[in-house]
Amino acid sequence: MLNRILEQKKKIAVSVIIIVCFGLIRAFEKTLFYDPLLDYFETTSKNVPLPNLDFFKLFFNLLFRFTLNTILSLVLIYALFNDKGILSFSTFLYLFFGILLFGAFFIIVGYFPENSWLLFYVRRFIIQPIFVLLFIPAFYYQFQNFKK
């Protein structure tokens, strides 16, 4: 087993570096990104109106964070599977879900601001690397079935 770990040391090193980068993004989120909803969701109870938002600034900061997480996730997926087909499919999924989530986010903020619980979950998918947690096991399962 130790030999197998040593053979995979490049994958392990890249994976650890990317996980540390995810942690750094999370640790410095308040200083790196404009997101008044961070404090709003930490401190509010139900039925409190949303804070004043600079939509332009919020959009580009959410997009920047989503892009950082997406790039790191795609590098992690490629490092683990070393398959360009999986990488291109993952890229398509990230683009598709990114467009869907950003559309949903701004529809909720614009037309349903009283549904802050829904906004919380949509925003969570935008700012956190949740998709990589879903994609890696799915691709691993598919990769194992393809080998058989």
Side-chain angles (χ1 to χ4, degrees):
M1 178 158 165
L2 184 59
N3 288 336
R4 187 162 186 222
I5 291 174
L6 291 175
E7 291 172 5
Q8 303 295 329
K9 64 184 172 184
K10 181 180 176 186
K11 285 183 182 181
I12 293 169
V14 170
S15 300
V16 168
I17 290 169
I18 290 172
I19 291 169
V20 167
C21 289
F22 283 139
L24 290 172
I25 289 171
R26 173 78 173 168
F28 296 108
E29 66 187 355
K30 289 187 179 183
T31 56
L32 291 174
F33 309 107
Y34 166 78
D35 193 354
L37 297 174
L38 286 171
D39 293 328
Y40 172 78
F41 286 121
E42 285 179 5
T43 59
T44 62
S45 60
K46 295 180 180 178
N47 301 325
V48 176
L50 290 175
N52 290 332
L53 303 172
D54 181 351
F55 290 107
F56 186 75
K57 192 173 180 181
L58 180 62
F59 171 75
F60 282 106
N61 278 271
L62 287 175
L63 183 63
F64 178 57
R65 187 165 180 181
F66 182 78
T67 303
L68 280 176
N69 286 330
T70 298
I71 290 169
L72 289 171
S73 298
L74 291 173
V75 170
L76 180 61
I77 288 170
Y78 187 73
L80 292 175
F81 298 104
N82 202 20
D83 186 330
K84 289 185 181 182
I86 289 176
L87 181 66
S88 63
F89 183 64
S90 299
T91 303
F92 170 77
L93 287 175
Y94 272 103
L95 287 172
F96 174 77
F97 286 123
I99 292 167
L100 187 74
L101 287 169
F102 275 97
F105 181 84
F106 286 104
I107 288 171
I108 294 167
V109 168
Y111 297 104
F112 306 102
E114 67 279 355
N115 291 335
S116 62
W117 61 272
L118 185 58
L119 181 65
F120 174 81
Y121 291 111
V122 170
R123 189 181 137 277
R124 182 66 57 201
F125 272 92
I126 292 173
I127 67 170
Q128 299 298 331
I130 295 172
F131 288 124
V132 77
L133 296 175
L134 299 172
F135 293 166
I136 288 175
F139 292 145
Y140 179 76
Y141 178 77
Q142 186 68 26
F143 198 69
Q144 292 300 324
N145 280 343
F146 185 69
K147 280 184 173 179
K148 291 179 182 180

